[in-house]
Amino acid sequence: MIARLLVLVVALIHVFFLVLEMFLWTTPFGQRTFNMTPDFAAASSVLAANQGLYNGFLAAGLLWSLIAPKALSFSLKLFFLGCVIVAGLYGAATAKTSILFIQALPAAIALAFVWLARDKD
């Protein structure tokens, strides 16, 4: 139950990233969140929307893993949580260190719980 809840939390985080990057990027909230000027936000909005779409795919995969048949569920969780962790590590190394704690750490914690619950799901 805890593992499933943590996977849901990670999925919802990525839904939030999708909304932020695809729809709120050029708003005052998006600019504050990423410490951007209005000009930079406008110039990078297409790239941000693309990035948001990828976050949406991660969220969709994680949500799929929660409703998939038992035979598929564990593998899907491992795959999509692994993708989130890799994306978070890359983002922390190349963009902003805080991504490690916002994206990679929650996914790593969820992955640990999924692994521990693998026979009980």
Side-chain angles (χ1 to χ4, degrees):
M1 176 80 145
I2 293 172
R4 293 177 59 80
L5 181 62
L6 290 172
V7 170
L8 178 61
V9 167
V10 174
L12 293 176
I13 288 170
H14 283 77
V15 168
F16 173 73
F17 293 160
L18 174 145
V19 170
L20 180 60
E21 293 167 348
M22 292 189 81
F23 305 110
L24 302 177
W25 189 258
T26 58
T27 68
F29 178 75
Q31 291 168 31
R32 270 193 318 277
T33 301
F34 293 101
N35 195 27
M36 299 180 293
T37 65
D39 288 340
F40 182 81
S44 60
S45 65
V46 172
L47 292 173
N50 188 47
Q51 186 170 293
L53 186 62
Y54 286 111
N55 278 306
F57 291 141
L58 292 173
L62 290 167
L63 293 171
W64 177 29
S65 78
L66 293 173
I67 61 170
K70 187 174 181 176
L72 224 100
S73 180
F74 179 71
S75 296
L76 288 172
K77 287 174 187 151
L78 290 184
F79 176 78
F80 284 101
L81 288 169
C83 289
V84 170
I85 292 167
V86 170
L89 292 172
Y90 184 79
T94 61
K96 197 172 181 183
T97 308
S98 62
I99 294 171
L100 184 66
F101 304 103
I102 295 167
Q103 186 175 18
L105 184 60
I109 292 168
L111 182 64
F113 276 86
V114 165
W115 186 262
L116 292 172
R118 69 189 173 277
D119 296 329
K120 296 169 187 77
D121 199 15

Short mmCIF file of all heavy atoms in Angstrom, two decimals, residues 45-110:
data_model
loop_
_atom_site.label_atom_id
_atom_site.label_comp_id
_atom_site.label_asym_id
_atom_site.label_seq_id
_atom_site.Cartn_x
_atom_site.Cartn_y
_atom_site.Cartn_z
N SER A 45 10.11 28.87 -24.10
CA SER A 45 8.83 28.22 -23.81
C SER A 45 8.58 26.96 -24.63
O SER A 45 7.98 26.00 -24.14
CB SER A 45 7.67 29.21 -23.99
OG SER A 45 7.57 29.62 -25.33
N VAL A 46 9.04 26.92 -25.87
CA VAL A 46 8.85 25.72 -26.69
C VAL A 46 9.67 24.56 -26.14
O VAL A 46 9.19 23.42 -26.06
CB VAL A 46 9.20 26.01 -28.17
CG1 VAL A 46 9.18 24.73 -28.99
CG2 VAL A 46 8.25 27.03 -28.75
N LEU A 47 10.89 24.84 -25.72
CA LEU A 47 11.72 23.79 -25.12
C LEU A 47 11.11 23.30 -23.81
O LEU A 47 11.11 22.10 -23.53
CB LEU A 47 13.14 24.31 -24.87
CG LEU A 47 13.96 24.61 -26.12
CD1 LEU A 47 15.28 25.29 -25.75
CD2 LEU A 47 14.21 23.35 -26.91
N ALA A 48 10.60 24.24 -23.01
CA ALA A 48 9.98 23.86 -21.75
C ALA A 48 8.74 23.00 -21.98
O ALA A 48 8.52 22.02 -21.25
CB ALA A 48 9.62 25.11 -20.95
N ALA A 49 7.94 23.34 -22.98
CA ALA A 49 6.75 22.55 -23.28
C ALA A 49 7.14 21.13 -23.69
O ALA A 49 6.48 20.16 -23.30
CB ALA A 49 5.94 23.22 -24.38
N ASN A 50 8.20 21.00 -24.46
CA ASN A 50 8.70 19.68 -24.85
C ASN A 50 9.13 18.89 -23.61
O ASN A 50 8.80 17.71 -23.46
CB ASN A 50 9.87 19.83 -25.82
CG ASN A 50 10.30 18.52 -26.40
OD1 ASN A 50 9.49 17.73 -26.85
ND2 ASN A 50 11.60 18.28 -26.39
N GLN A 51 9.84 19.54 -22.72
CA GLN A 51 10.27 18.91 -21.48
C GLN A 51 9.05 18.51 -20.64
O GLN A 51 9.03 17.43 -20.04
CB GLN A 51 11.15 19.90 -20.71
CG GLN A 51 11.80 19.37 -19.47
CD GLN A 51 12.81 20.36 -18.96
OE1 GLN A 51 13.82 20.61 -19.59
NE2 GLN A 51 12.52 20.94 -17.81
N GLY A 52 8.04 19.38 -20.59
CA GLY A 52 6.82 19.06 -19.86
C GLY A 52 6.12 17.84 -20.42
O GLY A 52 5.58 17.02 -19.68
N LEU A 53 6.13 17.72 -21.75
CA LEU A 53 5.51 16.56 -22.37
C LEU A 53 6.20 15.27 -21.94
O LEU A 53 5.54 14.27 -21.61
CB LEU A 53 5.55 16.70 -23.90
CG LEU A 53 4.83 15.63 -24.69
CD1 LEU A 53 3.33 15.63 -24.39
CD2 LEU A 53 5.06 15.85 -26.18
N TYR A 54 7.52 15.29 -21.88
CA TYR A 54 8.25 14.11 -21.41
C TYR A 54 7.91 13.78 -19.97
O TYR A 54 7.76 12.61 -19.61
CB TYR A 54 9.77 14.30 -21.57
CG TYR A 54 10.22 14.21 -23.00
CD1 TYR A 54 10.70 15.33 -23.67
CD2 TYR A 54 10.18 13.01 -23.69
CE1 TYR A 54 11.12 15.25 -24.99
CE2 TYR A 54 10.58 12.92 -25.02
CZ TYR A 54 11.05 14.05 -25.65
OH TYR A 54 11.45 13.98 -26.95
N ASN A 55 7.76 14.80 -19.14
CA ASN A 55 7.35 14.56 -17.75
C ASN A 55 5.95 13.95 -17.72
O ASN A 55 5.66 13.11 -16.87
CB ASN A 55 7.41 15.86 -16.94
CG ASN A 55 8.82 16.13 -16.46
OD1 ASN A 55 9.45 15.30 -15.83
ND2 ASN A 55 9.33 17.31 -16.78
N GLY A 56 5.10 14.36 -18.65
CA GLY A 56 3.78 13.76 -18.74
C GLY A 56 3.83 12.28 -19.10
O GLY A 56 3.06 11.48 -18.58
N PHE A 57 4.76 11.93 -19.98
CA PHE A 57 4.93 10.51 -20.33
C PHE A 57 5.37 9.70 -19.11
O PHE A 57 4.92 8.57 -18.91
CB PHE A 57 5.94 10.32 -21.45
CG PHE A 57 5.47 10.84 -22.79
CD1 PHE A 57 6.35 11.47 -23.65
CD2 PHE A 57 4.16 10.69 -23.20
CE1 PHE A 57 5.94 11.95 -24.88
CE2 PHE A 57 3.73 11.15 -24.43
CZ PHE A 57 4.63 11.79 -25.28
N LEU A 58 6.27 10.27 -18.29
CA LEU A 58 6.69 9.59 -17.07
C LEU A 58 5.49 9.40 -16.14
O LEU A 58 5.31 8.31 -15.58
CB LEU A 58 7.81 10.35 -16.37
CG LEU A 58 9.14 10.39 -17.11
CD1 LEU A 58 10.12 11.32 -16.41
CD2 LEU A 58 9.73 8.99 -17.24
N ALA A 59 4.70 10.45 -15.97
CA ALA A 59 3.52 10.36 -15.12
C ALA A 59 2.55 9.30 -15.66
O ALA A 59 2.03 8.49 -14.89
CB ALA A 59 2.83 11.72 -15.03
N ALA A 60 2.33 9.30 -16.96
CA ALA A 60 1.42 8.33 -17.56
C ALA A 60 1.91 6.90 -17.33
O ALA A 60 1.11 6.00 -17.00
CB ALA A 60 1.27 8.60 -19.06
N GLY A 61 3.20 6.69 -17.49
CA GLY A 61 3.74 5.35 -17.25
C GLY A 61 3.59 4.91 -15.80
O GLY A 61 3.26 3.75 -15.52
N LEU A 62 3.82 5.83 -14.89
CA LEU A 62 3.67 5.49 -13.47
C LEU A 62 2.21 5.21 -13.12
O LEU A 62 1.92 4.26 -12.38
CB LEU A 62 4.22 6.62 -12.59
CG LEU A 62 5.74 6.76 -12.64
CD1 LEU A 62 6.18 8.06 -12.00
CD2 LEU A 62 6.42 5.57 -11.98
N LEU A 63 1.30 6.01 -13.67
CA LEU A 63 -0.12 5.75 -13.43
C LEU A 63 -0.54 4.43 -14.06
O LEU A 63 -1.32 3.67 -13.46
CB LEU A 63 -0.96 6.92 -13.97
CG LEU A 63 -0.77 8.24 -13.22
CD1 LEU A 63 -1.46 9.37 -13.95
CD2 LEU A 63 -1.25 8.13 -11.78
N TRP A 64 -0.02 4.14 -15.25
CA TRP A 64 -0.30 2.86 -15.89
C TRP A 64 0.15 1.70 -14.99
O TRP A 64 -0.55 0.69 -14.85
CB TRP A 64 0.40 2.82 -17.24
CG TRP A 64 0.28 1.54 -18.03
CD1 TRP A 64 -0.74 0.64 -18.00
CD2 TRP A 64 1.23 1.04 -18.96
NE1 TRP A 64 -0.48 -0.40 -18.87
CE2 TRP A 64 0.73 -0.17 -19.48
CE3 TRP A 64 2.44 1.51 -19.44
CZ2 TRP A 64 1.41 -0.92 -20.42
CZ3 TRP A 64 3.12 0.76 -20.38
CH2 TRP A 64 2.61 -0.44 -20.86
N SER A 65 1.33 1.86 -14.38
CA SER A 65 1.86 0.79 -13.53
C SER A 65 0.95 0.51 -12.34
O SER A 65 0.97 -0.59 -11.79
CB SER A 65 3.27 1.14 -13.03
OG SER A 65 3.23 2.08 -11.97
N LEU A 66 0.15 1.49 -11.95
CA LEU A 66 -0.75 1.30 -10.80
C LEU A 66 -2.03 0.56 -11.17
O LEU A 66 -2.69 -0.01 -10.30
CB LEU A 66 -1.10 2.66 -10.18
CG LEU A 66 0.07 3.38 -9.52
CD1 LEU A 66 -0.34 4.78 -9.09
CD2 LEU A 66 0.62 2.59 -8.34
N ILE A 67 -2.39 0.57 -12.45
CA ILE A 67 -3.63 -0.10 -12.86
C ILE A 67 -3.37 -1.31 -13.75
O ILE A 67 -4.29 -2.03 -14.11
CB ILE A 67 -4.58 0.88 -13.58
CG1 ILE A 67 -3.94 1.45 -14.85
CG2 ILE A 67 -5.01 2.00 -12.64
CD1 ILE A 67 -4.89 2.23 -15.74
N ALA A 68 -2.12 -1.54 -14.09
CA ALA A 68 -1.75 -2.66 -14.97
C ALA A 68 -1.98 -3.99 -14.26
O ALA A 68 -1.96 -4.06 -13.03
CB ALA A 68 -0.29 -2.53 -15.38
N PRO A 69 -2.16 -5.05 -15.04
CA PRO A 69 -2.27 -6.39 -14.45
C PRO A 69 -1.01 -6.70 -13.63
O PRO A 69 0.08 -6.20 -13.93
CB PRO A 69 -2.36 -7.31 -15.66
CG PRO A 69 -2.82 -6.44 -16.78
CD PRO A 69 -2.29 -5.08 -16.49
N LYS A 70 -1.20 -7.49 -12.62
CA LYS A 70 -0.12 -7.82 -11.69
C LYS A 70 1.15 -8.30 -12.41
O LYS A 70 2.26 -7.94 -12.02
CB LYS A 70 -0.59 -8.87 -10.68
CG LYS A 70 0.40 -9.13 -9.59
CD LYS A 70 -0.15 -10.07 -8.54
CE LYS A 70 0.88 -10.27 -7.46
NZ LYS A 70 0.40 -11.07 -6.37
N ALA A 71 0.98 -9.07 -13.46
CA ALA A 71 2.14 -9.61 -14.19
C ALA A 71 3.00 -8.50 -14.79
O ALA A 71 4.19 -8.69 -15.01
CB ALA A 71 1.67 -10.56 -15.29
N LEU A 72 2.43 -7.35 -15.05
CA LEU A 72 3.15 -6.24 -15.68
C LEU A 72 3.51 -5.13 -14.71
O LEU A 72 4.47 -4.38 -14.93
CB LEU A 72 2.23 -5.66 -16.76
CG LEU A 72 2.88 -5.34 -18.08
CD1 LEU A 72 2.59 -6.44 -19.05
CD2 LEU A 72 2.36 -4.03 -18.57
N SER A 73 2.74 -4.99 -13.66
CA SER A 73 2.81 -3.85 -12.75
C SER A 73 4.21 -3.61 -12.17
O SER A 73 4.72 -2.48 -12.19
CB SER A 73 1.81 -4.05 -11.62
OG SER A 73 1.85 -2.98 -10.73
N PHE A 74 4.82 -4.63 -11.65
CA PHE A 74 6.13 -4.49 -11.01
C PHE A 74 7.18 -4.01 -12.01
O PHE A 74 7.92 -3.06 -11.74
CB PHE A 74 6.55 -5.81 -10.37
CG PHE A 74 7.90 -5.77 -9.71
CD1 PHE A 74 8.10 -5.05 -8.54
CD2 PHE A 74 8.98 -6.45 -10.25
CE1 PHE A 74 9.34 -5.00 -7.93
CE2 PHE A 74 10.22 -6.42 -9.66
CZ PHE A 74 10.41 -5.70 -8.48
N SER A 75 7.21 -4.62 -13.17
CA SER A 75 8.19 -4.23 -14.19
C SER A 75 7.98 -2.79 -14.65
O SER A 75 8.94 -2.05 -14.86
CB SER A 75 8.11 -5.17 -15.40
OG SER A 75 8.46 -6.47 -15.03
N LEU A 76 6.74 -2.40 -14.82
CA LEU A 76 6.45 -1.02 -15.22
C LEU A 76 6.91 -0.03 -14.15
O LEU A 76 7.49 1.01 -14.47
CB LEU A 76 4.95 -0.84 -15.49
CG LEU A 76 4.41 -1.48 -16.75
CD1 LEU A 76 2.88 -1.39 -16.78
CD2 LEU A 76 5.01 -0.84 -17.99
N LYS A 77 6.64 -0.36 -12.91
CA LYS A 77 7.08 0.52 -11.81
C LYS A 77 8.59 0.66 -11.82
O LYS A 77 9.13 1.77 -11.70
CB LYS A 77 6.59 0.00 -10.47
CG LYS A 77 5.11 0.18 -10.26
CD LYS A 77 4.66 -0.48 -8.97
CE LYS A 77 3.15 -0.43 -8.88
NZ LYS A 77 2.60 -1.52 -8.13
N LEU A 78 9.29 -0.46 -11.94
CA LEU A 78 10.76 -0.40 -11.97
C LEU A 78 11.26 0.45 -13.13
O LEU A 78 12.13 1.30 -12.97
CB LEU A 78 11.36 -1.80 -12.08
CG LEU A 78 11.24 -2.73 -10.90
CD1 LEU A 78 12.00 -4.03 -11.19
CD2 LEU A 78 11.77 -2.10 -9.63
N PHE A 79 10.69 0.23 -14.31
CA PHE A 79 11.14 0.95 -15.49
C PHE A 79 10.91 2.45 -15.36
O PHE A 79 11.82 3.25 -15.55
CB PHE A 79 10.47 0.42 -16.76
CG PHE A 79 10.83 1.20 -17.98
CD1 PHE A 79 12.05 1.00 -18.60
CD2 PHE A 79 9.97 2.16 -18.50
CE1 PHE A 79 12.42 1.75 -19.71
CE2 PHE A 79 10.32 2.91 -19.61
CZ PHE A 79 11.55 2.70 -20.22
N PHE A 80 9.67 2.83 -15.04
CA PHE A 80 9.36 4.26 -15.02
C PHE A 80 10.00 4.98 -13.84
O PHE A 80 10.45 6.12 -13.98
CB PHE A 80 7.85 4.49 -15.11
CG PHE A 80 7.33 4.28 -16.50
CD1 PHE A 80 6.69 3.11 -16.85
CD2 PHE A 80 7.53 5.24 -17.48
CE1 PHE A 80 6.25 2.91 -18.15
CE2 PHE A 80 7.09 5.06 -18.78
CZ PHE A 80 6.45 3.89 -19.12
N LEU A 81 10.08 4.34 -12.69
CA LEU A 81 10.79 4.97 -11.57
C LEU A 81 12.28 5.09 -11.90
O LEU A 81 12.91 6.10 -11.57
CB LEU A 81 10.59 4.18 -10.27
CG LEU A 81 9.20 4.28 -9.66
CD1 LEU A 81 9.03 3.26 -8.54
CD2 LEU A 81 8.92 5.70 -9.15
N GLY A 82 12.83 4.09 -12.57
CA GLY A 82 14.23 4.18 -13.01
C GLY A 82 14.44 5.34 -13.96
O GLY A 82 15.44 6.07 -13.87
N CYS A 83 13.51 5.53 -14.89
CA CYS A 83 13.59 6.67 -15.82
C CYS A 83 13.56 7.99 -15.06
O CYS A 83 14.32 8.91 -15.37
CB CYS A 83 12.45 6.62 -16.82
SG CYS A 83 12.58 5.31 -18.05
N VAL A 84 12.69 8.09 -14.07
CA VAL A 84 12.60 9.31 -13.28
C VAL A 84 13.91 9.57 -12.54
O VAL A 84 14.41 10.70 -12.49
CB VAL A 84 11.42 9.24 -12.29
CG1 VAL A 84 11.46 10.39 -11.29
CG2 VAL A 84 10.09 9.24 -13.04
N ILE A 85 14.48 8.53 -11.98
CA ILE A 85 15.75 8.67 -11.24
C ILE A 85 16.85 9.14 -12.18
O ILE A 85 17.60 10.07 -11.85
CB ILE A 85 16.12 7.35 -10.53
CG1 ILE A 85 15.12 7.07 -9.41
CG2 ILE A 85 17.55 7.42 -9.99
CD1 ILE A 85 15.20 5.67 -8.84
N VAL A 86 16.96 8.53 -13.34
CA VAL A 86 17.99 8.93 -14.31
C VAL A 86 17.77 10.39 -14.73
O VAL A 86 18.72 11.18 -14.79
CB VAL A 86 18.01 7.98 -15.52
CG1 VAL A 86 18.89 8.53 -16.63
CG2 VAL A 86 18.49 6.60 -15.10
N ALA A 87 16.52 10.75 -15.03
CA ALA A 87 16.23 12.13 -15.41
C ALA A 87 16.59 13.10 -14.29
O ALA A 87 17.16 14.17 -14.53
CB ALA A 87 14.76 12.27 -15.78
N GLY A 88 16.29 12.71 -13.07
CA GLY A 88 16.62 13.56 -11.92
C GLY A 88 18.12 13.70 -11.71
O GLY A 88 18.61 14.80 -11.41
N LEU A 89 18.85 12.62 -11.87
CA LEU A 89 20.31 12.68 -11.74
C LEU A 89 20.92 13.56 -12.82
O LEU A 89 21.80 14.38 -12.55
CB LEU A 89 20.91 11.28 -11.79
CG LEU A 89 20.60 10.37 -10.60
CD1 LEU A 89 21.08 8.95 -10.88
CD2 LEU A 89 21.23 10.91 -9.32
N TYR A 90 20.42 13.40 -14.04
CA TYR A 90 20.93 14.21 -15.15
C TYR A 90 20.59 15.69 -14.93
O TYR A 90 21.43 16.57 -15.13
CB TYR A 90 20.35 13.72 -16.48
CG TYR A 90 20.93 14.46 -17.66
CD1 TYR A 90 22.19 14.13 -18.16
CD2 TYR A 90 20.23 15.50 -18.26
CE1 TYR A 90 22.73 14.81 -19.24
CE2 TYR A 90 20.75 16.19 -19.34
CZ TYR A 90 22.01 15.85 -19.82
OH TYR A 90 22.55 16.52 -20.88
N GLY A 91 19.37 15.96 -14.53
CA GLY A 91 18.97 17.33 -14.26
C GLY A 91 19.78 17.96 -13.14
O GLY A 91 20.18 19.13 -13.22
N ALA A 92 20.05 17.19 -12.10
CA ALA A 92 20.86 17.70 -10.99
C ALA A 92 22.29 17.99 -11.43
O ALA A 92 22.90 18.97 -10.99
CB ALA A 92 20.85 16.71 -9.83
N ALA A 93 22.82 17.16 -12.31
CA ALA A 93 24.20 17.33 -12.77
C ALA A 93 24.33 18.46 -13.78
O ALA A 93 25.38 19.10 -13.86
CB ALA A 93 24.71 16.03 -13.38
N THR A 94 23.28 18.72 -14.55
CA THR A 94 23.42 19.67 -15.65
C THR A 94 22.65 20.97 -15.46
O THR A 94 22.97 21.96 -16.12
CB THR A 94 22.93 19.04 -16.97
OG1 THR A 94 21.56 18.69 -16.84
CG2 THR A 94 23.78 17.82 -17.33
N ALA A 95 21.62 20.98 -14.61
CA ALA A 95 20.78 22.18 -14.51
C ALA A 95 20.77 22.77 -13.11
O ALA A 95 21.22 23.90 -12.90
CB ALA A 95 19.36 21.87 -14.97
N LYS A 96 20.26 22.02 -12.15
CA LYS A 96 20.06 22.55 -10.81
C LYS A 96 20.14 21.41 -9.80
O LYS A 96 19.42 20.42 -9.93
CB LYS A 96 18.69 23.23 -10.75
CG LYS A 96 18.46 24.16 -9.63
CD LYS A 96 17.12 24.88 -9.84
CE LYS A 96 16.89 25.85 -8.71
NZ LYS A 96 15.58 26.51 -8.85
N THR A 97 20.99 21.55 -8.81
CA THR A 97 21.20 20.48 -7.83
C THR A 97 19.92 20.09 -7.11
O THR A 97 19.74 18.93 -6.76
CB THR A 97 22.27 20.91 -6.80
OG1 THR A 97 23.43 21.34 -7.50
CG2 THR A 97 22.65 19.78 -5.87
N SER A 98 19.03 21.04 -6.90
CA SER A 98 17.80 20.75 -6.16
C SER A 98 16.93 19.70 -6.87
O SER A 98 16.09 19.06 -6.22
CB SER A 98 17.01 22.03 -5.93
OG SER A 98 16.60 22.60 -7.15
N ILE A 99 17.14 19.50 -8.16
CA ILE A 99 16.38 18.48 -8.90
C ILE A 99 16.62 17.10 -8.30
O ILE A 99 15.74 16.24 -8.31
CB ILE A 99 16.73 18.53 -10.41
CG1 ILE A 99 16.26 19.85 -11.00
CG2 ILE A 99 16.14 17.35 -11.16
CD1 ILE A 99 16.73 20.10 -12.42
N LEU A 100 17.80 16.91 -7.74
CA LEU A 100 18.12 15.64 -7.10
C LEU A 100 17.11 15.33 -6.00
O LEU A 100 16.63 14.20 -5.87
CB LEU A 100 19.54 15.69 -6.52
CG LEU A 100 20.07 14.43 -5.88
CD1 LEU A 100 20.23 13.33 -6.92
CD2 LEU A 100 21.39 14.71 -5.21
N PHE A 101 16.73 16.35 -5.23
CA PHE A 101 15.84 16.15 -4.09
C PHE A 101 14.37 16.24 -4.48
O PHE A 101 13.52 15.62 -3.86
CB PHE A 101 16.16 17.19 -3.01
CG PHE A 101 17.59 17.12 -2.58
CD1 PHE A 101 18.50 18.06 -3.03
CD2 PHE A 101 18.05 16.09 -1.78
CE1 PHE A 101 19.84 17.99 -2.67
CE2 PHE A 101 19.38 16.01 -1.41
CZ PHE A 101 20.27 16.95 -1.86
N ILE A 102 14.07 16.99 -5.54
CA ILE A 102 12.69 17.18 -5.96
C ILE A 102 12.21 16.04 -6.84
O ILE A 102 11.05 15.63 -6.77
CB ILE A 102 12.55 18.53 -6.72
CG1 ILE A 102 12.83 19.69 -5.76
CG2 ILE A 102 11.19 18.67 -7.36
CD1 ILE A 102 13.02 21.02 -6.45
N GLN A 103 13.11 15.49 -7.65
CA GLN A 103 12.71 14.47 -8.62
C GLN A 103 13.32 13.10 -8.32
O GLN A 103 12.59 12.11 -8.22
CB GLN A 103 13.11 14.92 -10.03
CG GLN A 103 12.61 14.01 -11.12
CD GLN A 103 12.91 14.56 -12.51
OE1 GLN A 103 13.77 15.42 -12.68
NE2 GLN A 103 12.23 14.06 -13.50
N ALA A 104 14.63 13.03 -8.20
CA ALA A 104 15.29 11.72 -8.08
C ALA A 104 15.05 11.06 -6.73
O ALA A 104 14.79 9.85 -6.67
CB ALA A 104 16.79 11.87 -8.34
N LEU A 105 15.14 11.82 -5.65
CA LEU A 105 14.99 11.22 -4.32
C LEU A 105 13.60 10.63 -4.09
O LEU A 105 13.51 9.48 -3.63
CB LEU A 105 15.36 12.24 -3.23
CG LEU A 105 15.33 11.70 -1.80
CD1 LEU A 105 16.32 10.54 -1.64
CD2 LEU A 105 15.64 12.82 -0.82
N PRO A 106 12.51 11.35 -4.38
CA PRO A 106 11.20 10.70 -4.20
C PRO A 106 11.06 9.41 -5.02
O PRO A 106 10.49 8.43 -4.55
CB PRO A 106 10.21 11.77 -4.66
CG PRO A 106 10.92 13.06 -4.49
CD PRO A 106 12.37 12.75 -4.78
N ALA A 107 11.58 9.42 -6.24
CA ALA A 107 11.49 8.22 -7.08
C ALA A 107 12.34 7.09 -6.50
O ALA A 107 11.93 5.92 -6.54
CB ALA A 107 11.93 8.54 -8.50
N ALA A 108 13.49 7.42 -5.96
CA ALA A 108 14.35 6.39 -5.36
C ALA A 108 13.70 5.79 -4.12
O ALA A 108 13.75 4.56 -3.91
CB ALA A 108 15.72 6.98 -5.02
N ILE A 109 13.06 6.62 -3.33
CA ILE A 109 12.35 6.12 -2.15
C ILE A 109 11.19 5.23 -2.59
O ILE A 109 10.99 4.13 -2.05
CB ILE A 109 11.86 7.29 -1.26
CG1 ILE A 109 13.06 8.00 -0.63
CG2 ILE A 109 10.90 6.79 -0.18
CD1 ILE A 109 12.73 9.33 0.02
N ALA A 110 10.44 5.68 -3.58
CA ALA A 110 9.33 4.86 -4.10
C ALA A 110 9.85 3.54 -4.64
O ALA A 110 9.26 2.48 -4.39
CB ALA A 110 8.57 5.63 -5.18
#
